[in-house]
Amino acid sequence: MRCASLVNNDIKPWDNLNHLKMSRPASGSKTVKKSMPATAQRPIKTASKVHPKTGAKGEAKTETKSTARDAFMKKVQICMTTYNYADDTVDAKGKSERLTAINDLQAMLNDQRCVVSNILPNLELVMEMIEKNIFRPLPNKKKSTNLGMSETGIEQEEQIDPSWPHLQGIYEFFLQLVLNDAIDVKSMKVHITPRFIQSFLELFDSEENYERDYLKNILHKVYAKLVPRRKMIRKAMNDCFLALIHENYKFNGAAELLDILAAIISGFAIPLRDEHVTFFKMIIIPLHKVQTSSFFFEQLLRCSMLFLSKDRNLAIPVK
């Protein structure tokens, strides 16, 4: 047949339409319908399917998810390991692997699929890792025997906790975790318990300015996100201020807590609730009499003015 010869000569039939002449069938002869050669048919793209019984493709996806989950769990376990950071020569390899794992966990928060599939289902383990790192006895800075700025006129370099590079990554991860939209309130509030808040507030007594800044930002974001936990957080802050007034007389993080409190006071509705008025009289006013109030006077003054802007009757008359 002519079509067969075209196929054999590798000539595409649609390129040679001018050379093909259809002859009329002879009278009495049957019309034969010629089919298009196989080479002229447009190929149909079909998705690769897997036999429903074997499920090979599904197993491959499951294996990939399982591998990613195992890698995530391994990184979390690495971050749970603590070392003696005072000596850089000890466990140098383990410390390096830990820093890498912390950076990898931070990068995972940028991938919402990873957050939903790996972090959110294992949020309890993640919070356990965070607590194991940050809830610790606070180190005391060693007072330098060198002459201070008043004697030399040169500002002395501040000593930084050698463990801070490892703690900073954990704090940054925690901050981004709270800010992540995939971490819903229902899942997070389970782990923000009174015990957690109490331990978290104790960290504000740290002598590291960098650490207190992270603590302030995280607590502020937690307060803004977890509406059901706001009352509990305010009560814990009240207890912290009462201890400063009546027991400790010194608290390194008083200024940072008052910064958070100023943002909270700004959102108070008018007229003020009785509990807010009580807080002003029992906390804000007595804080002015604390011996170390000079360290947080600016933040305390701001809180006082915010209260007075809400209710002028709180002002003490001058006799």
Side-chain angles (χ1 to χ4, degrees), residues 152-180:
T152 62
I154 302 174
E155 185 177 358
Q156 298 294 324
E157 184 177 356
E158 184 180 0
Q159 294 182 355
I160 299 178
D161 183 6
S163 65
W164 175 243
H166 296 265
L167 286 173
Q168 183 180 14
I170 300 296
Y171 276 120
E172 183 64 30
F173 174 80
F174 191 14
L175 177 60
Q176 297 304 321
L177 182 71
V178 175
L179 292 174
N180 197 289

Short mmCIF file of all heavy atoms in Angstrom, two decimals, residues 152-180:
data_model
loop_
_atom_site.label_atom_id
_atom_site.label_comp_id
_atom_site.label_asym_id
_atom_site.label_seq_id
_atom_site.Cartn_x
_atom_site.Cartn_y
_atom_site.Cartn_z
N THR A 152 39.76 54.82 83.95
CA THR A 152 40.62 54.83 82.76
C THR A 152 40.10 55.75 81.67
O THR A 152 40.86 56.15 80.79
CB THR A 152 40.74 53.41 82.18
OG1 THR A 152 39.43 52.95 81.79
CG2 THR A 152 41.32 52.46 83.21
N GLY A 153 38.80 56.06 81.70
CA GLY A 153 38.23 56.87 80.63
C GLY A 153 37.92 56.05 79.39
O GLY A 153 37.48 56.59 78.38
N ILE A 154 38.18 54.75 79.43
CA ILE A 154 37.93 53.86 78.29
C ILE A 154 36.87 52.85 78.68
O ILE A 154 36.97 52.21 79.73
CB ILE A 154 39.22 53.13 77.85
CG1 ILE A 154 40.30 54.16 77.50
CG2 ILE A 154 38.94 52.20 76.67
CD1 ILE A 154 41.64 53.53 77.20
N GLU A 155 35.88 52.71 77.83
CA GLU A 155 34.79 51.78 78.14
C GLU A 155 35.30 50.35 78.03
O GLU A 155 35.91 49.96 77.03
CB GLU A 155 33.64 51.99 77.16
CG GLU A 155 32.42 51.15 77.48
CD GLU A 155 31.26 51.43 76.55
OE1 GLU A 155 31.42 52.33 75.68
OE2 GLU A 155 30.21 50.78 76.68
N GLN A 156 35.07 49.57 79.08
CA GLN A 156 35.51 48.19 79.11
C GLN A 156 34.56 47.30 78.30
O GLN A 156 33.36 47.53 78.27
CB GLN A 156 35.58 47.68 80.56
CG GLN A 156 36.55 48.45 81.43
CD GLN A 156 37.98 48.26 80.99
OE1 GLN A 156 38.36 47.18 80.55
NE2 GLN A 156 38.78 49.32 81.09
N GLU A 157 35.12 46.30 77.64
CA GLU A 157 34.31 45.39 76.83
C GLU A 157 33.49 44.47 77.74
O GLU A 157 34.00 43.90 78.70
CB GLU A 157 35.22 44.55 75.93
CG GLU A 157 34.45 43.65 74.99
CD GLU A 157 35.39 42.88 74.07
OE1 GLU A 157 36.61 43.13 74.14
OE2 GLU A 157 34.90 42.02 73.31
N GLU A 158 32.21 44.36 77.45
CA GLU A 158 31.32 43.55 78.27
C GLU A 158 31.55 42.07 78.00
O GLU A 158 31.68 41.64 76.85
CB GLU A 158 29.86 43.90 77.95
CG GLU A 158 28.87 43.18 78.83
CD GLU A 158 27.44 43.54 78.49
OE1 GLU A 158 27.26 44.37 77.57
OE2 GLU A 158 26.51 43.01 79.14
N GLN A 159 31.62 41.30 79.08
CA GLN A 159 31.81 39.86 78.95
C GLN A 159 30.49 39.20 78.56
O GLN A 159 29.43 39.52 79.10
CB GLN A 159 32.31 39.27 80.26
CG GLN A 159 33.71 39.75 80.64
CD GLN A 159 34.19 39.10 81.93
OE1 GLN A 159 33.45 38.37 82.57
NE2 GLN A 159 35.43 39.37 82.30
N ILE A 160 30.56 38.28 77.59
CA ILE A 160 29.38 37.59 77.10
C ILE A 160 29.46 36.13 77.51
O ILE A 160 30.52 35.50 77.48
CB ILE A 160 29.29 37.70 75.56
CG1 ILE A 160 29.18 39.18 75.16
CG2 ILE A 160 28.08 36.93 75.03
CD1 ILE A 160 29.13 39.40 73.66
N ASP A 161 28.34 35.59 77.91
CA ASP A 161 28.25 34.19 78.29
C ASP A 161 28.67 33.31 77.12
O ASP A 161 28.16 33.46 76.00
CB ASP A 161 26.80 33.88 78.69
CG ASP A 161 26.63 32.44 79.18
OD1 ASP A 161 27.65 31.74 79.32
OD2 ASP A 161 25.49 32.04 79.43
N PRO A 162 29.65 32.41 77.30
CA PRO A 162 30.12 31.58 76.18
C PRO A 162 29.04 30.68 75.60
O PRO A 162 29.16 30.24 74.46
CB PRO A 162 31.26 30.74 76.80
CG PRO A 162 31.03 30.81 78.28
CD PRO A 162 30.39 32.13 78.54
N SER A 163 27.98 30.42 76.33
CA SER A 163 26.90 29.58 75.81
C SER A 163 25.88 30.38 74.99
O SER A 163 24.97 29.79 74.40
CB SER A 163 26.18 28.88 76.96
OG SER A 163 25.53 29.82 77.80
N TRP A 164 26.03 31.70 74.96
CA TRP A 164 25.04 32.52 74.30
C TRP A 164 24.86 32.22 72.80
O TRP A 164 23.72 32.21 72.30
CB TRP A 164 25.34 34.00 74.50
CG TRP A 164 24.40 34.88 73.74
CD1 TRP A 164 24.70 35.76 72.74
CD2 TRP A 164 22.97 34.97 73.92
NE1 TRP A 164 23.57 36.37 72.28
CE2 TRP A 164 22.50 35.91 72.98
CE3 TRP A 164 22.07 34.33 74.76
CZ2 TRP A 164 21.14 36.22 72.87
CZ3 TRP A 164 20.73 34.64 74.66
CH2 TRP A 164 20.28 35.57 73.73
N PRO A 165 25.93 31.99 72.01
CA PRO A 165 25.72 31.66 70.59
C PRO A 165 24.80 30.46 70.39
O PRO A 165 24.04 30.42 69.41
CB PRO A 165 27.13 31.36 70.08
CG PRO A 165 28.03 32.15 70.98
CD PRO A 165 27.37 32.09 72.33
N HIS A 166 24.83 29.50 71.30
CA HIS A 166 23.94 28.34 71.19
C HIS A 166 22.54 28.68 71.69
O HIS A 166 21.55 28.19 71.14
CB HIS A 166 24.51 27.17 72.00
CG HIS A 166 25.82 26.67 71.48
ND1 HIS A 166 25.93 25.61 70.60
CD2 HIS A 166 27.09 27.09 71.69
CE1 HIS A 166 27.19 25.39 70.31
NE2 HIS A 166 27.93 26.28 70.97
N LEU A 167 22.44 29.50 72.72
CA LEU A 167 21.14 29.89 73.25
C LEU A 167 20.42 30.84 72.29
O LEU A 167 19.19 30.78 72.16
CB LEU A 167 21.29 30.56 74.61
CG LEU A 167 21.62 29.65 75.78
CD1 LEU A 167 21.91 30.48 77.02
CD2 LEU A 167 20.47 28.69 76.06
N GLN A 168 21.16 31.70 71.63
CA GLN A 168 20.55 32.68 70.74
C GLN A 168 19.77 31.98 69.63
O GLN A 168 18.66 32.42 69.27
CB GLN A 168 21.62 33.59 70.14
CG GLN A 168 21.05 34.68 69.25
CD GLN A 168 22.12 35.58 68.67
OE1 GLN A 168 23.31 35.27 68.72
NE2 GLN A 168 21.71 36.70 68.12
N GLY A 169 20.32 30.90 69.08
CA GLY A 169 19.63 30.16 68.02
C GLY A 169 18.33 29.56 68.52
O GLY A 169 17.31 29.55 67.81
N ILE A 170 18.32 29.08 69.76
CA ILE A 170 17.10 28.51 70.34
C ILE A 170 16.06 29.60 70.56
O ILE A 170 14.87 29.41 70.27
CB ILE A 170 17.42 27.80 71.68
CG1 ILE A 170 18.43 26.66 71.46
CG2 ILE A 170 16.15 27.29 72.32
CD1 ILE A 170 17.91 25.54 70.58
N TYR A 171 16.49 30.74 71.08
CA TYR A 171 15.55 31.85 71.29
C TYR A 171 14.96 32.33 69.96
O TYR A 171 13.76 32.64 69.87
CB TYR A 171 16.24 33.00 72.02
CG TYR A 171 16.29 32.85 73.51
CD1 TYR A 171 17.50 32.81 74.21
CD2 TYR A 171 15.11 32.77 74.26
CE1 TYR A 171 17.55 32.69 75.59
CE2 TYR A 171 15.15 32.64 75.63
CZ TYR A 171 16.36 32.59 76.29
OH TYR A 171 16.39 32.47 77.67
N GLU A 172 15.80 32.43 68.94
CA GLU A 172 15.32 32.89 67.64
C GLU A 172 14.33 31.88 67.05
O GLU A 172 13.31 32.26 66.47
CB GLU A 172 16.51 33.07 66.68
CG GLU A 172 16.14 33.60 65.31
CD GLU A 172 15.56 35.00 65.36
OE1 GLU A 172 15.92 35.77 66.27
OE2 GLU A 172 14.74 35.33 64.48
N PHE A 173 14.62 30.61 67.23
CA PHE A 173 13.69 29.56 66.77
C PHE A 173 12.36 29.67 67.51
O PHE A 173 11.28 29.57 66.89
CB PHE A 173 14.33 28.19 66.99
CG PHE A 173 13.41 27.04 66.68
CD1 PHE A 173 13.20 26.63 65.37
CD2 PHE A 173 12.75 26.36 67.69
CE1 PHE A 173 12.35 25.57 65.07
CE2 PHE A 173 11.90 25.31 67.42
CZ PHE A 173 11.70 24.91 66.10
N PHE A 174 12.41 29.88 68.81
CA PHE A 174 11.20 29.99 69.61
C PHE A 174 10.37 31.21 69.18
O PHE A 174 9.14 31.14 69.05
CB PHE A 174 11.56 30.10 71.09
CG PHE A 174 10.40 29.96 72.03
CD1 PHE A 174 9.17 29.48 71.60
CD2 PHE A 174 10.53 30.32 73.36
CE1 PHE A 174 8.10 29.35 72.48
CE2 PHE A 174 9.46 30.19 74.25
CZ PHE A 174 8.25 29.72 73.80
N LEU A 175 11.04 32.33 68.93
CA LEU A 175 10.35 33.54 68.51
C LEU A 175 9.64 33.33 67.18
O LEU A 175 8.47 33.68 67.02
CB LEU A 175 11.35 34.70 68.41
CG LEU A 175 10.80 36.03 67.91
CD1 LEU A 175 9.70 36.55 68.84
CD2 LEU A 175 11.92 37.06 67.78
N GLN A 176 10.35 32.75 66.21
CA GLN A 176 9.75 32.50 64.90
C GLN A 176 8.65 31.44 64.98
O GLN A 176 7.70 31.47 64.20
CB GLN A 176 10.83 32.07 63.90
CG GLN A 176 11.89 33.12 63.64
CD GLN A 176 11.30 34.45 63.16
OE1 GLN A 176 10.35 34.47 62.38
NE2 GLN A 176 11.87 35.55 63.63
N LEU A 177 8.78 30.52 65.91
CA LEU A 177 7.75 29.49 66.10
C LEU A 177 6.44 30.14 66.56
O LEU A 177 5.36 29.79 66.07
CB LEU A 177 8.22 28.46 67.12
CG LEU A 177 7.28 27.29 67.42
CD1 LEU A 177 7.22 26.33 66.23
CD2 LEU A 177 7.71 26.54 68.67
N VAL A 178 6.53 31.07 67.50
CA VAL A 178 5.34 31.75 68.00
C VAL A 178 4.71 32.60 66.90
O VAL A 178 3.48 32.68 66.78
CB VAL A 178 5.69 32.63 69.22
CG1 VAL A 178 4.47 33.43 69.68
CG2 VAL A 178 6.20 31.76 70.36
N LEU A 179 5.53 33.22 66.06
CA LEU A 179 5.03 34.09 65.00
C LEU A 179 4.46 33.32 63.82
O LEU A 179 3.70 33.89 63.02
CB LEU A 179 6.16 35.01 64.51
CG LEU A 179 6.66 36.07 65.50
CD1 LEU A 179 7.87 36.79 64.93
CD2 LEU A 179 5.57 37.06 65.83
N ASN A 180 4.80 32.04 63.70
CA ASN A 180 4.37 31.27 62.54
C ASN A 180 2.85 31.08 62.55
O ASN A 180 2.26 30.68 63.55
CB ASN A 180 5.08 29.91 62.53
CG ASN A 180 5.00 29.23 61.18
OD1 ASN A 180 3.95 28.76 60.74
ND2 ASN A 180 6.13 29.18 60.50
#
